[in-house]
Amino acid sequence: MKSVSPPVRAVTAAVVCVVVALAAALAVDSRLDRHWVLRGITLVLALCCAAVLWSDERRKLRAIVGFAGILMFGLVFPITSTTWSQPPEIKFALAVADDAKAAALKEVASAVSVAQVKAATEARGGAVGSLATERNPEIRGADSYPLIIRPRKDEGRPRVCLSFEHGLDAKIRSC
């Protein structure tokens, strides 16, 4: 039985990497920062490793490096970055955004107000704004967007920044 030619291996690996990268990117909630730059760089590196497999040289080390690169940049990195994209504070902020949007729609408002976000955050046991400390007594992120959302009232971290673009479209990112 004849082995698969290097160009066929390379094209197959490249197609698999693109499919995995797209599936991993689309699996993340659209309100979150999807780390497009990081995902793009890993896809380019995976495609470069697929190009290494394109050559017809019979060096085993070159094939091992190509396969290892495709495995890491084409599968492991996209899947782990998708799996780790929703820590508890992000899930809390997503729930707050949903509650605030529902409150705005119930009031027939065209935009989510800061008061609605504060009410939704407090109803879930969290707080809006940075935690006042001796070192930094000023509370930031409590009066205008982007708001600092904390899942626990008594802890300054972890926290997430929440803003609403175009009235009802939430954007969540790390602060």
Side-chain angles (χ1 to χ4, degrees), residues 39-141:
R39 291 180 186 278
I41 289 171
T42 57
L43 178 60
V44 167
L45 290 171
L47 294 176
C48 288
C49 291
V52 167
L53 294 178
W54 185 278
S55 68
D56 196 20
E57 291 185 26
R58 301 284 181 189
R59 293 189 178 165
K60 197 171 216 147
L61 182 60
R62 190 175 187 137
I64 291 171
V65 169
F67 280 121
I70 287 172
L71 181 67
M72 292 304 296
F73 299 121
L75 295 174
V76 174
F77 289 174
I79 291 171
T80 56
S81 66
T82 301
T83 303
W84 296 336
S85 68
Q86 285 195 9
E89 63 272 13
I90 296 290
K91 289 181 181 178
F92 179 81
L94 288 170
V96 166
D98 290 339
D99 293 348
K101 182 178 178 179
L105 291 174
K106 186 176 181 182
E107 295 175 9
V108 192
S110 61
V112 176
S113 69
V114 172
Q116 290 165 332
V117 174
K118 283 184 179 181
T121 304
E122 290 170 0
R124 291 191 169 270
V128 175
S130 63
L131 187 64
T133 61
E134 286 181 16
R135 198 170 140 214
N136 192 7
E138 182 183 342
I139 296 175
R140 295 173 289 122

